[in-house]
Amino acid sequence: MFEVTILIPVYDNEGTFFSADDHHEFETRLAERFGGFSLVPTSVIGAWVDGPKTYRDDLRAYVIALRSIGQGGAVTDIVQFAKSHYRQEAIYLRYLGVSEII
Amino acid sequence: MPTHLTLSGQEIEYPTPSPPLAKFLKRLEAMAEDSSVTENELIGVAYGSENPLLDHSLFPERGAVTKEVLAHPAYQVMTDLLARKRVQQDKVDITKLAAEFTIPLPQAAKEIGVTPSALQQAIWTRRLRAWVKTGPKGKPDYYLKPESLHTFGVTRGPRKPPAAEPLEVRIGHSPGNMLEIKHPGDLDDRKKVGHAIIEGRIPRWQRVAFRYGGGKNQKPRLAIIGPAAEDNEFTWGDEFWIRGKFEFVKRANNLKEVADLWEEFRPS
């Protein structure tokens, strides 16, 4: 068993706050695919620059538990969903001491 | 039954909690109201090992939200308290958020040809976002976002849509190109055919949306498709395609419209 942390933005790229209802659909998928999830305190706050525009990156950290690396495909699926759902070009992941941006 | 009023003005009614859960919710409410408590501190407690609402078998030191927990109204209360903390911490302008919900429920129902109770059901099951506001006659009512009506999955009228045959798709990302799809269920015969490209079949569907574009500097476009009698094919670049009996129900290329439709679309 190992844990994967998925960092999800608190605001969209226009600065609009994601509501509890916005997170509900993502959380439903996490619970269905991985049996459950937790949210942990995070200090990850930053920014990224795309041309002339700087985007604020204020994040919440979801944690899921995987039984084996064989569930990696399910993680990729949930990240693809998160990218669409939260209108992001990339999502940040942490697992087994590795950080990855997908 | 205890009730809780959410940020968007909706009342959550939940069964009388056990004494430990009632005590814990009171503690969270007090933390949410206390401006000296940070969001991180609230998250630490709300998802910690002391929360009697959560599952404690999945993580050694934290509580887990399972499907059963998600379905419990008290979890909705908990997530609303977290949202309230964020609003308090960042001084989020709630009136600006509420201003996006402009269409009263009866008018929305009329516009898309469904009963008001069908929309109410969708709101109560969190399939449709709404905000409770006081209407011109002083009566509170649900208000909806106009763009959410475009993709709300209610069949209009008595006509049954044609049965859909499976769709064959090749989707994903390649340098300079992408085709993403929102479809119900999982892909059958899914296989990876490139670094970030997969092929598969959507066995059962009625409405599917896909978004395509040429990478970061080209605006994404969107299409919503439905079943049809004739074969059709959509190709994008050299790598991506959708094949099957379908027709275009809606297409969009305005950046905001694409983003809103994609966000609101629920595949069926």
Side-chain angles (χ1 to χ4, degrees):
Chain A
M1 184 83 93
F2 64 96
E3 292 181 3
V4 176
T5 304
I6 306 173
L7 298 182
I8 293 295
V10 173
Y11 294 90
D12 71 9
N13 293 338
E14 279 74 49
T16 306
F17 168 67
F18 286 120
S19 69
D21 281 344
D22 288 314
H23 296 304
H24 176 75
E25 193 172 343
F26 177 65
E27 294 184 352
T28 300
R29 288 180 183 241
L30 286 180
E32 283 173 354
R33 296 298 291 267
F34 304 100
F37 67 87
S38 195
L39 202 60
V40 293
T42 176
S43 56
V44 183
I45 297 173
W48 57 277
V49 177
D50 183 17
K53 200 165 178 185
T54 301
Y55 295 94
R56 178 182 173 178
D57 242 358
D58 198 345
L59 303 157
R60 50 178 15 201
Y62 283 95
V63 179
I64 50 176
L66 303 195
R67 285 185 305 279
S68 84
I69 200 76
Q71 283 183 286
V75 175
T76 307
D77 287 348
I78 201 76
V79 168
Q80 294 305 336
F81 172 77
K83 281 163 69 175
S84 302
H85 185 66
Y86 292 103
R87 301 186 292 279
Q88 299 297 302
E89 294 214 357
I91 292 284
Y92 186 94
L93 290 181
R94 283 195 303 242
Y95 55 93
L96 299 174
V98 176
S99 295
E100 190 176 359
I101 296 170
I102 296 181
Chain B
M1 272 196 194
T3 57
H4 173 87
L5 197 64
T6 68
L7 267 180
S8 57
Q10 298 177 53
E11 194 174 76
I12 302 169
E13 211 173 60
Y14 56 102
T16 304
S18 64
L21 179 57
K23 192 177 166 191
F24 192 79
L25 287 174
K26 284 269 175 229
R27 182 179 169 195
L28 293 183
E29 280 168 16
M31 290 180 79
E33 278 174 24
D34 184 349
S35 58
S36 70
V37 174
T38 66
E39 184 190 44
N40 269 340
E41 286 168 333
L42 184 58
I43 288 173
V45 172
Y47 291 84
S49 55
E50 294 175 70
N51 187 342
L53 180 65
L54 304 187
D55 171 272
H56 294 283
S57 61
L58 200 57
F59 300 106
E61 292 160 3
R62 286 186 289 276
V65 180
T66 59
K67 276 196 288 185
E68 292 72 27
V69 174
L70 268 175
H72 198 297
Y75 180 70
Q76 211 179 324
V77 173
M78 214 174 103
T79 57
D80 184 65
L81 293 174
L82 271 180
R84 285 175 182 278
K85 176 54 71 181
R86 172 58 70 164
V87 165
Q88 179 195 66
Q89 190 172 283
D90 291 0
K91 299 181 174 55
V92 174
D93 185 355
I94 287 298
T95 51
K96 201 175 146 194
L97 286 180
E100 292 176 14
F101 296 78
T102 54
I103 304 184
L105 186 139
Q107 185 188 328
K110 211 170 178 180
E111 276 184 24
I112 61 170
V114 299
T115 62
S117 64
L119 290 185
Q120 271 175 356
Q121 279 296 329
I123 293 165
W124 293 339
T125 52
R126 302 181 84 174
R127 288 185 291 121
L128 189 62
R129 278 157 225 165
W131 203 284
V132 177
K133 298 186 198 181
T134 304
K137 291 176 185 169
K139 199 180 143 203
D141 204 351
Y142 289 113
Y143 280 70
L144 308 174
K145 283 188 184 181
E147 59 269 25
S148 68
L149 301 183
H150 300 314
T151 49
F152 180 64
V154 173
T155 307
R156 288 191 224 176
R159 193 167 64 91
K160 199 178 168 189
E165 291 191 14
L167 286 176
E168 306 286 339
V169 299
R170 180 189 271 186
I171 53 176
H173 295 252
S174 68
N177 262 335
M178 68 97 174
L179 174 62
E180 294 176 336
I181 194 161
K182 272 189 166 182
H183 61 86
D186 293 325
L187 286 182
D188 279 358
D189 298 332
R190 178 195 171 102
K191 63 181 176 193
K192 196 170 175 181
V193 294
H195 174 64
I197 303 175
I198 53 169
E199 267 183 33
R201 187 169 57 249
I202 302 168
R204 284 169 297 280
W205 66 285
Q206 280 299 323
R207 281 289 184 274
V208 160
F210 57 88
R211 191 165 62 161
Y212 54 102
K216 212 172 183 180
N217 297 321
Q218 194 176 321
K219 289 178 183 176
R221 279 161 270 183
L222 176 140
I224 297 173
I225 58 175
E230 302 296 324
D231 281 327
N232 205 343
E233 181 180 38
F234 172 84
T235 59
W236 185 248
D238 295 330
E239 307 97 331
F240 304 118
W241 37 257
I242 296 171
R243 293 171 186 155
K245 293 184 190 303
F246 68 85
E247 64 184 4
F248 288 92
V249 175
K250 185 169 182 66
R251 298 182 91 146
N253 57 19
N254 170 280
L255 196 60
K256 184 168 182 341
E257 191 184 7
V258 168
D260 290 342
L261 283 170
W262 186 252
E263 163 66 12
E264 297 295 337
F265 182 79
R266 301 290 176 266
S268 59

